[in-house]
Amino acid sequence: MKKHGQVVKYSKTALKDIAVSGLMIATIEAAKAALGFLPNIELTSFLLIMYALIFGVKTLYAVPGFILIEGAVYGFQLWWIMYLYTWPLLVVFTLLFKKRTSVWFWCFFSGIFGLCFGALCAVPYFFAGWAGESLRGGIYAAFTWWVAGIPWDIIHCVGNFTVMLLLFVPVKAVLKRCYAYIYL
Protein backbone atom coordinates (compact mmCIF):
# COMPACT_ATOMS: atom_id res chain seq x y z
CA MET A 1 0.00 0.00 0.00
CA LYS A 2 1.30 3.46 -0.84
CA LYS A 3 1.77 5.83 2.07
CA HIS A 4 0.99 9.53 1.80
CA GLY A 5 3.77 11.41 0.06
CA GLN A 6 5.38 8.43 -1.67
CA VAL A 7 6.26 8.83 -5.31
CA VAL A 8 5.14 6.08 -7.68
CA LYS A 9 7.85 5.21 -10.17
CA TYR A 10 6.93 4.10 -13.65
CA SER A 11 9.20 2.38 -16.07
CA LYS A 12 10.26 4.49 -19.05
CA THR A 13 9.34 1.59 -21.29
CA ALA A 14 5.78 1.50 -19.94
CA LEU A 15 5.39 5.22 -20.56
CA LYS A 16 6.78 4.80 -24.07
CA ASP A 17 4.30 1.98 -24.71
CA ILE A 18 1.41 4.22 -23.67
CA ALA A 19 2.63 7.03 -25.90
CA VAL A 20 3.21 4.69 -28.85
CA SER A 21 -0.27 3.15 -28.38
CA GLY A 22 -1.75 6.64 -28.46
CA LEU A 23 0.09 7.40 -31.69
CA MET A 24 -1.10 4.13 -33.23
CA ILE A 25 -4.70 4.91 -32.31
CA ALA A 26 -4.44 8.48 -33.58
CA THR A 27 -2.93 7.34 -36.88
CA ILE A 28 -5.64 4.73 -37.42
CA GLU A 29 -8.41 7.21 -36.59
CA ALA A 30 -6.91 9.87 -38.89
CA ALA A 31 -6.62 7.34 -41.73
CA LYS A 32 -10.24 6.24 -41.19
CA ALA A 33 -11.41 9.85 -41.34
CA ALA A 34 -9.34 10.60 -44.43
CA LEU A 35 -10.66 7.62 -46.39
CA GLY A 36 -14.16 7.59 -44.94
CA PHE A 37 -15.71 8.63 -48.24
CA LEU A 38 -14.47 5.46 -50.00
CA PRO A 39 -16.62 2.33 -49.59
CA ASN A 40 -14.67 -0.47 -47.88
CA ILE A 41 -11.29 1.01 -48.72
CA GLU A 42 -9.51 1.49 -45.42
CA LEU A 43 -6.09 1.62 -43.83
CA THR A 44 -7.05 0.10 -40.48
CA SER A 45 -6.16 -3.45 -41.54
CA PHE A 46 -2.93 -2.27 -43.14
CA LEU A 47 -1.84 -0.22 -40.14
CA LEU A 48 -2.65 -2.94 -37.59
CA ILE A 49 -0.69 -5.47 -39.65
CA MET A 50 2.27 -3.12 -39.99
CA TYR A 51 2.23 -2.16 -36.31
CA ALA A 52 2.09 -5.83 -35.31
CA LEU A 53 5.02 -6.65 -37.60
CA ILE A 54 7.19 -3.88 -36.15
CA PHE A 55 5.96 -3.33 -32.59
CA GLY A 56 4.84 -6.90 -31.94
CA VAL A 57 2.56 -7.66 -28.99
CA LYS A 58 2.59 -3.98 -27.99
CA THR A 59 0.10 -3.44 -30.82
CA LEU A 60 -2.51 -5.24 -28.73
CA TYR A 61 -2.35 -2.33 -26.26
CA ALA A 62 -3.67 0.03 -28.94
CA VAL A 63 -6.53 -2.14 -30.19
CA PRO A 64 -8.91 -1.68 -27.21
CA GLY A 65 -8.38 2.08 -27.33
CA PHE A 66 -9.16 2.14 -31.03
CA ILE A 67 -12.31 0.05 -30.51
CA LEU A 68 -13.53 2.26 -27.66
CA ILE A 69 -13.01 5.42 -29.69
CA GLU A 70 -14.92 3.90 -32.61
CA GLY A 71 -17.83 3.11 -30.29
CA ALA A 72 -17.75 6.58 -28.75
CA VAL A 73 -17.74 8.27 -32.16
CA TYR A 74 -20.19 6.06 -34.06
CA GLY A 75 -22.26 4.59 -31.23
CA PHE A 76 -22.15 1.28 -29.40
CA GLN A 77 -24.38 -0.80 -31.63
CA LEU A 78 -24.29 -4.37 -32.94
CA TRP A 79 -21.48 -3.58 -35.39
CA TRP A 80 -19.28 -2.57 -32.46
CA ILE A 81 -19.37 -6.10 -31.03
CA MET A 82 -17.72 -7.27 -34.27
CA TYR A 83 -14.79 -4.96 -33.62
CA LEU A 84 -14.21 -6.56 -30.21
CA TYR A 85 -12.90 -9.71 -31.87
CA THR A 86 -12.07 -8.92 -35.52
CA TRP A 87 -9.29 -6.40 -34.91
CA PRO A 88 -7.57 -8.31 -32.08
CA LEU A 89 -7.85 -11.45 -34.22
CA LEU A 90 -6.10 -9.69 -37.10
CA VAL A 91 -3.24 -8.66 -34.80
CA VAL A 92 -2.92 -12.15 -33.30
CA PHE A 93 -2.81 -13.82 -36.74
CA THR A 94 -0.26 -11.27 -37.89
CA LEU A 95 1.91 -12.08 -34.88
CA LEU A 96 1.66 -15.80 -35.70
CA PHE A 97 3.08 -15.13 -39.18
CA LYS A 98 5.44 -12.33 -38.13
CA LYS A 99 8.55 -14.05 -39.49
CA ARG A 100 7.21 -13.94 -43.04
CA THR A 101 8.94 -11.15 -44.98
CA SER A 102 7.47 -11.42 -48.46
CA VAL A 103 5.40 -8.45 -49.56
CA TRP A 104 3.27 -10.88 -51.59
CA PHE A 105 2.48 -12.94 -48.50
CA TRP A 106 1.26 -9.84 -46.68
CA CYS A 107 -0.73 -8.67 -49.72
CA PHE A 108 -2.59 -11.98 -49.84
CA PHE A 109 -2.92 -12.09 -46.05
CA SER A 110 -4.45 -8.62 -45.98
CA GLY A 111 -6.67 -9.36 -48.96
CA ILE A 112 -7.95 -12.59 -47.43
CA PHE A 113 -8.72 -10.75 -44.21
CA GLY A 114 -10.76 -8.22 -46.22
CA LEU A 115 -12.60 -11.04 -47.97
CA CYS A 116 -13.34 -12.80 -44.67
CA PHE A 117 -14.32 -9.63 -42.81
CA GLY A 118 -18.02 -9.99 -43.62
CA ALA A 119 -18.10 -13.61 -42.49
CA LEU A 120 -16.36 -12.64 -39.25
CA CYS A 121 -18.82 -9.83 -38.74
CA ALA A 122 -21.83 -12.11 -39.27
CA VAL A 123 -21.28 -13.83 -35.90
CA PRO A 124 -23.30 -11.32 -33.80
CA TYR A 125 -26.20 -11.66 -36.26
CA PHE A 126 -26.21 -15.40 -35.57
CA PHE A 127 -26.74 -14.73 -31.88
CA ALA A 128 -29.21 -11.90 -32.51
CA GLY A 129 -31.28 -14.09 -34.85
CA TRP A 130 -31.05 -17.05 -32.50
CA ALA A 131 -32.27 -14.98 -29.57
CA GLY A 132 -35.18 -13.73 -31.62
CA GLU A 133 -36.45 -17.06 -32.96
CA SER A 134 -34.47 -20.29 -32.96
CA LEU A 135 -31.16 -21.77 -33.98
CA ARG A 136 -32.48 -21.79 -37.56
CA GLY A 137 -33.27 -18.08 -37.28
CA GLY A 138 -29.73 -17.38 -36.10
CA ILE A 139 -28.13 -19.24 -38.96
CA TYR A 140 -30.49 -17.55 -41.43
CA ALA A 141 -29.73 -14.07 -40.02
CA ALA A 142 -25.95 -14.55 -40.09
CA PHE A 143 -25.91 -16.20 -43.52
CA THR A 144 -28.17 -13.56 -45.08
CA TRP A 145 -26.13 -10.73 -43.62
CA TRP A 146 -22.88 -12.29 -44.86
CA VAL A 147 -24.13 -13.06 -48.38
CA ALA A 148 -25.60 -9.57 -48.79
CA GLY A 149 -22.19 -8.11 -48.01
CA ILE A 150 -20.07 -10.28 -50.32
CA PRO A 151 -19.72 -7.54 -53.00
CA TRP A 152 -18.41 -5.20 -50.27
CA ASP A 153 -16.04 -7.92 -49.03
CA ILE A 154 -14.62 -8.23 -52.54
CA ILE A 155 -13.98 -4.48 -52.61
CA HIS A 156 -12.43 -4.76 -49.15
CA CYS A 157 -10.20 -7.62 -50.37
CA VAL A 158 -8.97 -5.76 -53.46
CA GLY A 159 -8.45 -2.56 -51.45
CA ASN A 160 -6.46 -4.32 -48.73
CA PHE A 161 -4.32 -6.15 -51.29
CA THR A 162 -3.60 -2.97 -53.24
CA VAL A 163 -2.82 -0.84 -50.18
CA MET A 164 -0.43 -3.49 -48.88
CA LEU A 165 1.26 -3.79 -52.28
CA LEU A 166 1.80 -0.04 -52.57
CA LEU A 167 2.68 0.85 -48.98
CA PHE A 168 4.29 -2.23 -47.37
CA VAL A 169 7.93 -1.46 -48.18
CA PRO A 170 8.01 2.30 -47.47
CA VAL A 171 5.88 2.15 -44.33
CA LYS A 172 7.83 -0.81 -42.95
CA ALA A 173 11.07 1.15 -43.38
CA VAL A 174 9.65 4.20 -41.61
CA LEU A 175 8.18 2.15 -38.76
CA LYS A 176 11.49 0.30 -38.26
CA ARG A 177 13.26 3.65 -37.88
CA CYS A 178 10.59 4.81 -35.44
CA TYR A 179 10.95 1.64 -33.40
CA ALA A 180 14.73 2.02 -33.28
CA TYR A 181 14.44 5.65 -32.22
CA ILE A 182 11.88 4.94 -29.50
CA TYR A 183 13.06 1.64 -28.02
CA LEU A 184 16.73 1.23 -28.87
mmCIF file of all heavy atoms in Angstrom, residues 153-177:
data_model
loop_
_atom_site.group_PDB
_atom_site.id
_atom_site.type_symbol
_atom_site.label_atom_id
_atom_site.label_comp_id
_atom_site.label_asym_id
_atom_site.label_seq_id
_atom_site.Cartn_x
_atom_site.Cartn_y
_atom_site.Cartn_z
ATOM 1 N N ASP A 153 -17.228 -7.170 -49.455
ATOM 2 C CA ASP A 153 -16.043 -7.917 -49.029
ATOM 3 C C ASP A 153 -15.032 -8.031 -50.162
ATOM 4 O O ASP A 153 -13.820 -8.001 -49.934
ATOM 5 C CB ASP A 153 -16.431 -9.318 -48.538
ATOM 6 C CG ASP A 153 -17.211 -9.277 -47.240
ATOM 7 O OD1 ASP A 153 -17.102 -8.283 -46.499
ATOM 8 O OD2 ASP A 153 -17.932 -10.266 -46.957
ATOM 9 N N ILE A 154 -15.524 -8.175 -51.380
ATOM 10 C CA ILE A 154 -14.624 -8.234 -52.537
ATOM 11 C C ILE A 154 -13.890 -6.904 -52.695
ATOM 12 O O ILE A 154 -12.677 -6.876 -52.936
ATOM 13 C CB ILE A 154 -15.396 -8.635 -53.813
ATOM 14 C CG1 ILE A 154 -15.874 -10.088 -53.682
ATOM 15 C CG2 ILE A 154 -14.541 -8.451 -55.062
ATOM 16 C CD1 ILE A 154 -16.856 -10.532 -54.754
ATOM 17 N N ILE A 155 -14.615 -5.808 -52.551
ATOM 18 C CA ILE A 155 -13.978 -4.483 -52.610
ATOM 19 C C ILE A 155 -12.954 -4.351 -51.486
ATOM 20 O O ILE A 155 -11.842 -3.858 -51.695
ATOM 21 C CB ILE A 155 -15.035 -3.359 -52.529
ATOM 22 C CG1 ILE A 155 -15.924 -3.379 -53.760
ATOM 23 C CG2 ILE A 155 -14.367 -1.997 -52.366
ATOM 24 C CD1 ILE A 155 -17.154 -2.500 -53.660
ATOM 25 N N HIS A 156 -13.327 -4.805 -50.310
ATOM 26 C CA HIS A 156 -12.433 -4.764 -49.153
ATOM 27 C C HIS A 156 -11.161 -5.573 -49.438
ATOM 28 O O HIS A 156 -10.046 -5.128 -49.151
ATOM 29 C CB HIS A 156 -13.170 -5.329 -47.936
ATOM 30 C CG HIS A 156 -12.566 -4.994 -46.631
ATOM 31 N ND1 HIS A 156 -13.166 -5.343 -45.454
ATOM 32 C CD2 HIS A 156 -11.424 -4.370 -46.277
ATOM 33 C CE1 HIS A 156 -12.424 -4.943 -44.444
ATOM 34 N NE2 HIS A 156 -11.357 -4.347 -44.929
ATOM 35 N N CYS A 157 -11.320 -6.749 -50.017
ATOM 36 C CA CYS A 157 -10.196 -7.619 -50.367
ATOM 37 C C CYS A 157 -9.243 -6.928 -51.345
ATOM 38 O O CYS A 157 -8.032 -6.871 -51.117
ATOM 39 C CB CYS A 157 -10.723 -8.919 -50.971
ATOM 40 S SG CYS A 157 -9.472 -9.986 -51.705
ATOM 41 N N VAL A 158 -9.796 -6.420 -52.423
ATOM 42 C CA VAL A 158 -8.973 -5.760 -53.457
ATOM 43 C C VAL A 158 -8.297 -4.514 -52.877
ATOM 44 O O VAL A 158 -7.116 -4.263 -53.125
ATOM 45 C CB VAL A 158 -9.834 -5.408 -54.690
ATOM 46 C CG1 VAL A 158 -9.060 -4.549 -55.676
ATOM 47 C CG2 VAL A 158 -10.334 -6.686 -55.358
ATOM 48 N N GLY A 159 -9.030 -3.751 -52.078
ATOM 49 C CA GLY A 159 -8.452 -2.561 -51.454
ATOM 50 C C GLY A 159 -7.314 -2.909 -50.511
ATOM 51 O O GLY A 159 -6.243 -2.283 -50.561
ATOM 52 N N ASN A 160 -7.513 -3.907 -49.657
ATOM 53 C CA ASN A 160 -6.458 -4.316 -48.729
ATOM 54 C C ASN A 160 -5.221 -4.810 -49.467
ATOM 55 O O ASN A 160 -4.084 -4.477 -49.112
ATOM 56 C CB ASN A 160 -6.954 -5.415 -47.785
ATOM 57 C CG ASN A 160 -7.763 -4.876 -46.620
ATOM 58 O OD1 ASN A 160 -8.087 -3.703 -46.558
ATOM 59 N ND2 ASN A 160 -8.104 -5.760 -45.701
ATOM 60 N N PHE A 161 -5.432 -5.625 -50.494
ATOM 61 C CA PHE A 161 -4.324 -6.150 -51.288
ATOM 62 C C PHE A 161 -3.532 -5.007 -51.920
ATOM 63 O O PHE A 161 -2.307 -4.959 -51.846
ATOM 64 C CB PHE A 161 -4.851 -7.096 -52.370
ATOM 65 C CG PHE A 161 -3.779 -7.770 -53.170
ATOM 66 C CD1 PHE A 161 -3.332 -9.026 -52.817
ATOM 67 C CD2 PHE A 161 -3.216 -7.144 -54.275
ATOM 68 C CE1 PHE A 161 -2.336 -9.665 -53.555
ATOM 69 C CE2 PHE A 161 -2.216 -7.758 -55.014
ATOM 70 C CZ PHE A 161 -1.773 -9.025 -54.655
ATOM 71 N N THR A 162 -4.244 -4.073 -52.528
ATOM 72 C CA THR A 162 -3.603 -2.965 -53.237
ATOM 73 C C THR A 162 -2.852 -2.039 -52.279
ATOM 74 O O THR A 162 -1.704 -1.643 -52.553
ATOM 75 C CB THR A 162 -4.647 -2.168 -54.036
ATOM 76 O OG1 THR A 162 -5.342 -3.073 -54.904
ATOM 77 C CG2 THR A 162 -4.008 -1.061 -54.844
ATOM 78 N N VAL A 163 -3.477 -1.702 -51.169
ATOM 79 C CA VAL A 163 -2.822 -0.836 -50.182
ATOM 80 C C VAL A 163 -1.550 -1.494 -49.678
ATOM 81 O O VAL A 163 -0.498 -0.849 -49.574
ATOM 82 C CB VAL A 163 -3.791 -0.509 -49.015
ATOM 83 C CG1 VAL A 163 -3.052 0.068 -47.818
ATOM 84 C CG2 VAL A 163 -4.877 0.441 -49.483
ATOM 85 N N MET A 164 -1.614 -2.783 -49.373
ATOM 86 C CA MET A 164 -0.428 -3.487 -48.880
ATOM 87 C C MET A 164 0.665 -3.512 -49.940
ATOM 88 O O MET A 164 1.837 -3.300 -49.640
ATOM 89 C CB MET A 164 -0.812 -4.909 -48.458
ATOM 90 C CG MET A 164 0.273 -5.667 -47.732
ATOM 91 S SD MET A 164 0.772 -4.957 -46.142
ATOM 92 C CE MET A 164 -0.620 -5.344 -45.121
ATOM 93 N N LEU A 165 0.287 -3.748 -51.184
ATOM 94 C CA LEU A 165 1.256 -3.794 -52.275
ATOM 95 C C LEU A 165 1.973 -2.454 -52.438
ATOM 96 O O LEU A 165 3.184 -2.393 -52.611
ATOM 97 C CB LEU A 165 0.565 -4.194 -53.582
ATOM 98 C CG LEU A 165 1.462 -4.346 -54.809
ATOM 99 C CD1 LEU A 165 2.471 -5.463 -54.604
ATOM 100 C CD2 LEU A 165 0.616 -4.620 -56.045
ATOM 101 N N LEU A 166 1.219 -1.367 -52.350
ATOM 102 C CA LEU A 166 1.796 -0.038 -52.569
ATOM 103 C C LEU A 166 2.570 0.501 -51.367
ATOM 104 O O LEU A 166 3.563 1.209 -51.538
ATOM 105 C CB LEU A 166 0.684 0.952 -52.935
ATOM 106 C CG LEU A 166 -0.053 0.699 -54.241
ATOM 107 C CD1 LEU A 166 -1.212 1.670 -54.389
ATOM 108 C CD2 LEU A 166 0.899 0.794 -55.423
ATOM 109 N N LEU A 167 2.126 0.184 -50.160
ATOM 110 C CA LEU A 167 2.685 0.852 -48.982
ATOM 111 C C LEU A 167 3.553 -0.019 -48.081
ATOM 112 O O LEU A 167 4.201 0.503 -47.175
ATOM 113 C CB LEU A 167 1.548 1.447 -48.143
ATOM 114 C CG LEU A 167 0.696 2.516 -48.820
ATOM 115 C CD1 LEU A 167 -0.404 2.988 -47.887
ATOM 116 C CD2 LEU A 167 1.565 3.685 -49.272
ATOM 117 N N PHE A 168 3.577 -1.332 -48.281
ATOM 118 C CA PHE A 168 4.286 -2.226 -47.373
ATOM 119 C C PHE A 168 5.750 -1.828 -47.186
ATOM 120 O O PHE A 168 6.208 -1.622 -46.060
ATOM 121 C CB PHE A 168 4.193 -3.674 -47.860
ATOM 122 C CG PHE A 168 4.894 -4.668 -46.973
ATOM 123 C CD1 PHE A 168 4.277 -5.131 -45.829
ATOM 124 C CD2 PHE A 168 6.169 -5.130 -47.283
ATOM 125 C CE1 PHE A 168 4.913 -6.054 -45.003
ATOM 126 C CE2 PHE A 168 6.804 -6.042 -46.472
ATOM 127 C CZ PHE A 168 6.186 -6.505 -45.323
ATOM 128 N N VAL A 169 6.488 -1.721 -48.271
ATOM 129 C CA VAL A 169 7.931 -1.464 -48.182
ATOM 130 C C VAL A 169 8.239 -0.093 -47.572
ATOM 131 O O VAL A 169 9.011 -0.004 -46.609
ATOM 132 C CB VAL A 169 8.606 -1.648 -49.562
ATOM 133 C CG1 VAL A 169 10.061 -1.216 -49.521
ATOM 134 C CG2 VAL A 169 8.491 -3.106 -50.011
ATOM 135 N N PRO A 170 7.650 1.008 -48.062
ATOM 136 C CA PRO A 170 8.010 2.301 -47.475
ATOM 137 C C PRO A 170 7.554 2.455 -46.020
ATOM 138 O O PRO A 170 8.304 2.989 -45.189
ATOM 139 C CB PRO A 170 7.332 3.331 -48.373
ATOM 140 C CG PRO A 170 6.321 2.599 -49.167
ATOM 141 C CD PRO A 170 6.761 1.178 -49.221
ATOM 142 N N VAL A 171 6.373 1.987 -45.696
ATOM 143 C CA VAL A 171 5.879 2.148 -44.327
ATOM 144 C C VAL A 171 6.659 1.263 -43.367
ATOM 145 O O VAL A 171 6.970 1.673 -42.245
ATOM 146 C CB VAL A 171 4.358 1.876 -44.253
ATOM 147 C CG1 VAL A 171 3.873 1.812 -42.823
ATOM 148 C CG2 VAL A 171 3.602 2.952 -45.032
ATOM 149 N N LYS A 172 7.027 0.070 -43.809
ATOM 150 C CA LYS A 172 7.832 -0.809 -42.950
ATOM 151 C C LYS A 172 9.174 -0.154 -42.626
ATOM 152 O O LYS A 172 9.633 -0.203 -41.477
ATOM 153 C CB LYS A 172 8.039 -2.164 -43.620
ATOM 154 C CG LYS A 172 8.719 -3.177 -42.729
ATOM 155 C CD LYS A 172 8.778 -4.547 -43.375
ATOM 156 C CE LYS A 172 9.424 -5.532 -42.430
ATOM 157 N NZ LYS A 172 9.567 -6.857 -43.041
ATOM 158 N N ALA A 173 9.785 0.475 -43.609
ATOM 159 C CA ALA A 173 11.072 1.147 -43.379
ATOM 160 C C ALA A 173 10.923 2.290 -42.379
ATOM 161 O O ALA A 173 11.747 2.443 -41.465
ATOM 162 C CB ALA A 173 11.633 1.659 -44.706
ATOM 163 N N VAL A 174 9.887 3.082 -42.520
ATOM 164 C CA VAL A 174 9.650 4.200 -41.607
ATOM 165 C C VAL A 174 9.366 3.699 -40.194
ATOM 166 O O VAL A 174 9.912 4.214 -39.217
ATOM 167 C CB VAL A 174 8.490 5.102 -42.116
ATOM 168 C CG1 VAL A 174 8.070 6.104 -41.055
ATOM 169 C CG2 VAL A 174 8.902 5.803 -43.394
ATOM 170 N N LEU A 175 8.521 2.678 -40.082
ATOM 171 C CA LEU A 175 8.178 2.149 -38.758
ATOM 172 C C LEU A 175 9.384 1.507 -38.075
ATOM 173 O O LEU A 175 9.528 1.594 -36.852
ATOM 174 C CB LEU A 175 7.022 1.162 -38.850
ATOM 175 C CG LEU A 175 5.651 1.768 -39.131
ATOM 176 C CD1 LEU A 175 4.600 0.677 -39.278
ATOM 177 C CD2 LEU A 175 5.249 2.751 -38.051
ATOM 178 N N LYS A 176 10.263 0.866 -38.843
ATOM 179 C CA LYS A 176 11.486 0.297 -38.257
ATOM 180 C C LYS A 176 12.365 1.401 -37.678
ATOM 181 O O LYS A 176 12.940 1.254 -36.598
ATOM 182 C CB LYS A 176 12.271 -0.497 -39.306
ATOM 183 C CG LYS A 176 11.773 -1.888 -39.521
ATOM 184 C CD LYS A 176 12.697 -2.620 -40.496
ATOM 185 C CE LYS A 176 12.348 -4.076 -40.585
ATOM 186 N NZ LYS A 176 13.254 -4.801 -41.475
ATOM 187 N N ARG A 177 12.471 2.509 -38.391
ATOM 188 C CA ARG A 177 13.262 3.645 -37.875
ATOM 189 C C ARG A 177 12.624 4.213 -36.624
ATOM 190 O O ARG A 177 13.305 4.566 -35.668
ATOM 191 C CB ARG A 177 13.414 4.722 -38.943
ATOM 192 C CG ARG A 177 14.443 4.366 -39.990
ATOM 193 C CD ARG A 177 14.798 5.561 -40.838
ATOM 194 N NE ARG A 177 13.606 6.092 -41.464
ATOM 195 C CZ ARG A 177 13.472 6.391 -42.739
ATOM 196 N NH1 ARG A 177 14.489 6.199 -43.536
ATOM 197 N NH2 ARG A 177 12.358 6.865 -43.219
#
